Amino acid sequence: MKHLLILSIYIIALTFAGCKDDDVEPKEDDTETDTEFTIPTYDDDYSDIASWSDRNKWNLANVHDPSVAYYDGYYYMYGTDASYGNVHEGHGHFQGKRSTDLVNWEWVGGPFYDPPSWVADSLNAIRSRMGLEAIPEEDINYGYWAPVVRRVNVGGQEILRMYYSIVINNYIKSGKANTDANFDGSWTERAFIGMCESTDPAGAEWEDKGFVTTSSSDRGLDYSRSSLSDWDAYFYYNAIDPTYIVTPEGEHYLIHGSWHSGFAILQVDPATGKPLNTLGDPWADNASELQARYGKRIGTRVGSGYWSRWQGSEAPEVIYKDGYYYLFMAYDPLNVPYNTRVVRSENIDGPYYDITGRNFTNGEGDSYPIVTHPYKFNLSYGWVGISHCAIFQKEDTDEWFYMSQGRLPENVPGIPVSNAIMMGHVRRIVWCPASKSEPDNLWPVALPERYAAVPDYGTITKDSLVGTWEHINLEYKYGQQNTASSLTLNADGTMSGALTGSWSYDEAKKQLTLGDVIVCVEREVDWEASPRRVTLVYAGTEKNLNATYWGKKK
């Protein structure tokens, strides 16, 4: 089960202040015009406004496991119940934010305050069929995690449809709260996915539609656990972290899963949002029988062995683009190591392959490319815990965006429990070639700097790339930040520093070739500079690199 490592914390907020034109004047070699816009000036350390009363100042503070959908002129974002200092407690569940520009966000209320009554009813109905005593409703420990929100058309009316996760943190055998002292030789209880809908998200008016699915096991009624260090999980599917997609053919699918045996896919009715088929009891004697009822497994990080029951992958997010379904996922615990990978398939139910050809559906090993990973540019402490993403398209454009939380590293001086700072990160996605020989085989990676709506200043020329860059080899290092090294692109087409050899640039495609790796170049804001300013950035990968290149021009 997913670990929320948010202990004693504080909370914070963000403010936007205007910048004069000369604050954002591009460097001389960028051949840009005087287009006016405002660079965000809020501090990423929002601990000085750590109170619920300051929530209207938060902007992107206190974002965790976000999901984004466009509705009635706004991008609405909802996420897991989490905040610095747990100040959200007692103020409803799945708090949201909304924005018109993806840069400035205002707080909006969530769909409900009290746990929906159907959760306790469903839990105890299942327990009764398992021969277990009911857990009194007042003794049930609820957790509210990871909603997904989409705009859908139902009966000619556009609505927001949200699937949300509620985790029951009591032991199965005794029904007691999940504490070490109460350990009874069983696993903790199941999670549920429910659904609600709204035509007035600004007013926090939602209609709950109830049960959709629940955690399910292929081990019958054997929910025993030998010890607290036993991770040979009872549940095959963990019913949290839903994602929701409508295919080009108009079919609706819910995909979910976290840390257990992999990701499940359920087809749902477009009108009701509920599973097309009756699920039946959430236990079976084997995986095949369970999958026939609770959904086909479309992916798993580990295909077999002990750790296949408790693997560090979660938070599937699926989009469709140009003939492929792209499945983004989070790897590892969320406090520091959290990182994002992506695989793809021509079919919604797989098989899904990574950029190297590994079969994620069959669990053939870690998948690449790396979309995000803990990192650090110079002049900052950098970011960790960057995953559980929302992937969405900007309305009426071809631009795709990545949004997740980012956490400050542990033990940042002057910030109590700094790793509990949860800042929302919005990044543009670039689609880059898998190799020089496959220019049309494009894969998504996120840009290294966050989105600030930098205007189009015109062509990025080859001459503007000459100079010194901060280069990061974004590779998989468990729990460690990838750090920047100096890279110089010389005017004669050679490189020195972090990379050597030659470089070239395709101005029309905005593709920079660094040796054997093609990266995509864009303008973004340098968030580490003081004051922040416009600069050039790049991101890209190569199918045999097992890493991603990130860069920022100094």
Side-chain angles (χ1 to χ4, degrees):
M1 189 176 293
K2 184 177 184 179
H3 301 285
L4 283 180
L5 301 179
I6 308 164
L7 304 175
S8 54
I9 331 171
Y10 296 81
I11 185 176
I12 313 135
L14 318 158
T15 55
F16 273 74
C19 296
K20 297 180 180 179
D21 289 350
D22 56 1
D23 291 332
V24 298
E25 191 70 19
K27 298 173 74 173
E28 292 181 2
D29 58 1
D30 286 350
T31 63
E32 299 169 347
T33 64
D34 293 332
T35 303
E36 180 181 354
F37 82 110
T38 301
I39 289 181
T41 59
Y42 62 80
D43 193 345
D44 288 326
D45 168 18
Y46 56 89
S47 55
D48 61 342
I49 43 176
S51 69
W52 178 252
S53 62
D54 282 325
R55 64 189 179 280
N56 289 322
K57 303 176 185 177
W58 288 355
N59 203 311
L60 281 173
N62 289 323
V63 167
H64 196 279
D65 305 338
S67 182
V68 179
Y70 186 82
Y71 184 80
D72 196 24
Y74 288 88
Y75 296 91
Y76 282 87
M77 184 276 293
Y78 298 89
T80 287
D81 278 12
S83 62
Y84 185 64
N86 296 324
V87 298
H88 68 283
E89 292 183 351
H91 299 287
H93 303 292
F94 305 120
Q95 316 286 342
K97 303 177 190 292
R98 70 175 188 171
S99 173
T100 58
D101 60 7
L102 301 177
V103 178
N104 302 284
W105 297 76
E106 62 182 0
W107 178 89
V108 294
F112 49 78
Y113 274 78
D114 299 318
S117 60
W118 66 262
V119 179
D121 294 342
S122 297
L123 171 68
N124 284 323
I126 293 170
R127 288 180 64 85
S128 176
R129 298 199 302 273
M130 294 176 69
L132 297 165
E133 292 185 2
I135 304 176
E137 190 166 353
E138 63 271 17
D139 293 337
I140 297 175
N141 292 289
Y142 299 92
Y144 302 86
W145 293 356
V148 62
V149 62
R150 296 285 188 264
R151 184 183 68 199
V152 295
N153 190 298
V154 179
Q157 182 179 31
E158 290 207 325
I159 64 172
L160 281 188
R161 177 174 285 170
M162 178 192 292
Y163 292 92
Y164 57 85
S165 307
I166 295 185
V167 178
I168 308 302
N169 201 19
N170 297 66
Y171 286 112
I172 297 175
K173 182 178 180 180
S174 65
K176 293 182 178 180
N178 176 15
T179 67
D180 290 359
N182 285 340
F183 179 64
D184 61 5
S186 72
W187 281 86
T188 50
E189 262 293 1
R190 64 194 63 249
F192 292 90
I193 293 175
M195 192 262 286
C196 57
E197 295 176 341
S198 177
T199 57
D200 183 17
E205 296 290 336
W206 293 80
E207 181 181 359
D208 193 67
K209 300 291 186 176
F211 174 91
V212 177
T213 189
T214 187
S215 300
S216 52
S217 177
D218 60 340
R219 292 184 166 180
L221 298 180
D222 183 10
Y223 45 79
S224 62
R225 187 181 187 187
S226 60
S227 68
L228 289 171
S229 60
D230 175 11
W231 298 108
D232 194 17
Y234 171 59
F235 292 113
Y236 187 82
Y237 290 142
N238 191 11
I240 69 169
D241 294 358
T243 187
Y244 177 38
I245 186 170
V246 180
T247 70
E249 296 75 29
E251 296 177 331
H252 291 226
Y253 289 91
L254 187 73
I255 298 170
H256 69 272
S258 171
W259 279 77
H260 291 245
S261 299
F263 301 149
I265 184 169
L266 276 178
Q267 188 172 3
V268 298
D269 183 277
T272 67
K274 299 297 185 71
L276 282 179
N277 302 314
T278 301
L279 298 179
D281 287 330
W283 65 84
D285 292 330
N286 55 71
S288 296
E289 181 184 345
L290 184 73
Q291 289 190 45
R293 280 187 268 146
Y294 275 78
K296 177 182 177 181
R297 186 171 75 173
I298 62 168
T300 179
R301 182 176 179 179
V302 182
S304 61
Y306 181 84
W307 288 110
S308 67
R309 304 290 301 191
W310 186 268
Q311 53 186 279
S313 63
E314 62 180 6
E317 173 77 328
V318 180
I319 64 166
Y320 179 82
K321 185 180 187 298
D322 298 336
Y324 288 101
Y325 294 93
Y326 289 87
L327 169 59
F328 297 78
M329 74 196 92
Y331 271 16
D332 304 330
L334 59 83
N335 57 333
V336 174
Y338 232 20
N339 62 101
T340 308
R341 311 299 177 97
V342 63
V343 292
R344 74 184 185 189
S345 173
E346 294 179 346
N347 304 297
I348 184 61
D349 61 350
Y352 284 86
Y353 296 94
D354 82 342
I355 196 171
T356 72
R358 294 186 186 94
N359 189 322
F360 172 68
T361 297
N362 290 344
E364 292 183 352
D366 283 358
S367 298
Y368 291 89
I370 294 172
V371 181
T372 62
H373 187 281
Y375 74 98
K376 179 186 180 303
F377 280 117
N378 300 326
L379 305 178
S380 76
Y381 292 103
W383 294 95
V384 301
I386 313 164
S387 198
H388 196 131
C389 65
I391 306 294
F392 59 95
Q393 194 169 7
K394 191 174 183 181
E395 194 72 3
D396 299 324
T397 75
D398 293 326
E399 292 183 276
W400 287 87
F401 288 81
Y402 171 105
M403 184 178 189
S404 75
Q405 68 273 359
R407 292 171 177 261
L408 291 178
E410 298 171 334
N411 303 316
V412 173
I415 307 176
V417 199
S418 58
N419 189 229
I421 291 286
M422 294 167 284
M423 178 63 68
H425 286 198
V426 179
R427 302 169 188 271
R428 279 189 292 171
I429 287 175
V430 289
W431 300 82
C432 298
S435 69
K436 285 183 176 179
S437 62
E438 301 169 279
D440 299 322
N441 181 11
L442 305 180
W443 284 79
V445 292
L447 288 176
E449 291 285 6
R450 287 168 280 166
Y451 180 68
V454 175
D456 182 2
Y457 288 115
T459 301
I460 299 174
T461 64
K462 181 177 181 180
D463 288 345
S464 70
L465 305 184
V466 174
T468 303
W469 296 69
E470 291 185 51
H471 174 83
I472 296 178
N473 186 32
L474 209 66
E475 59 183 334
Y476 185 42
K477 293 183 177 180
Y478 184 89
Q480 299 180 47
Q481 292 174 280
N482 296 129
T483 57
S485 300
S486 181
L487 169 66
T488 300
L489 301 185
N490 301 306
D492 64 359
T494 62
M495 302 183 292
S496 56
L499 301 172
T500 58
S502 62
W503 68 276
S504 61
Y505 181 59
D506 186 325
E507 188 175 283
K509 294 183 177 180
K510 295 192 289 187
Q511 291 180 355
L512 167 64
T513 301
L514 302 173
D516 292 326
V517 180
I518 299 174
V519 298
C520 298
V521 182
E522 295 288 351
R523 288 187 181 90
E524 274 299 353
V525 162
D526 185 338
W527 289 71
E528 290 76 37
S530 182
R532 292 168 179 163
R533 61 178 179 83
V534 175
T535 191
L536 299 174
V537 297
Y538 61 67
T541 189
E542 201 277 336
K543 66 180 183 180
N544 297 311
L545 186 64
N546 286 352
T548 293
Y549 281 177
W550 271 5
K552 175 180 67 175
K553 194 174 184 187
K554 291 184 178 180

